[in-house]
Amino acid sequence: MTQQIRALVVDDSQAMRRSLMYALQRMGPWLHTDEAQDGAEGLKKLTLGRYDLVLTDINMPLMDGLKLIRHIRQTDAYRTVPIVVITTESAVEDRERAMALGASAYLVKPVQSKVVQDTVKSLLRLE
């Protein structure tokens, strides 16, 4: 794969960010990761750079993941960028709300690295 892909991992848990970034980095040297500790920082990074994929938690301080999804989908440059929600919220209503706002996939923690990788591969049409 020669195309460079940039992913932004947004989660208030540093351990979860590290785990997700490690899972993504193991997919290949063409996948680069960046991180943000909440939706507000994530949105700031999105306005300053170019990302091909966003992974976000829902429950975070300052700006939660649902507000982040709404902002991303209102931005022309990111209207079609895949957004993977990775959260502890397992209620059907939470999933439906996230998907209605524009999430591309919804995974419930704890989630295995392979599930994250398979979801990303599918969304980015890598296989």
Side-chain angles (χ1 to χ4, degrees):
M1 160 127 332
T2 55
Q3 180 189 2
Q4 299 292 303
I5 293 176
R6 294 192 61 211
L8 179 62
V9 177
V10 185
D11 197 304
D12 58 327
S13 162
Q14 183 179 14
M16 191 66 196
R17 287 195 312 271
R18 294 282 179 246
S19 174
L20 291 171
M21 290 169 60
Y22 180 70
L24 293 172
Q25 290 164 352
R26 287 192 1 233
M27 293 176 67
W30 43 267
L31 205 157
H32 303 276
T33 59
D34 196 2
E35 62 185 305
Q37 58 190 353
D38 60 50
E41 183 183 6
L43 190 59
K44 183 177 180 183
K45 288 191 176 206
L46 285 163
T47 61
L48 298 174
R50 181 194 66 79
Y51 294 93
D52 306 293
L53 172 71
V54 176
L55 287 79
T56 185
D57 189 11
I58 288 181
N59 298 315
M60 298 178 288
L62 297 182
M63 180 189 294
D64 68 32
L66 296 176
K67 287 181 183 152
L68 177 62
I69 293 168
R70 188 177 302 116
H71 282 291
I72 291 171
R73 290 300 182 232
Q74 291 173 351
T75 306
D76 287 340
Y78 289 109
R79 194 155 284 147
T80 60
V81 168
I83 302 171
V84 180
V85 174
I86 302 176
T87 182
T88 56
E89 301 301 323
S90 60
V92 174
E93 300 81 27
D94 293 317
R95 175 186 300 270
E96 289 173 350
R97 205 159 133 229
M99 298 304 279
L101 287 170
S104 310
Y106 193 97
L107 305 174
V108 178
K109 295 176 188 175
V111 63
Q112 295 179 340
S113 292
K114 182 168 180 2
V115 173
V116 173
Q117 292 168 341
D118 289 347
T119 300
V120 168
K121 285 177 188 175
S122 172
L123 290 171
L124 295 177
R125 294 176 171 77
L126 298 175
E127 288 186 336

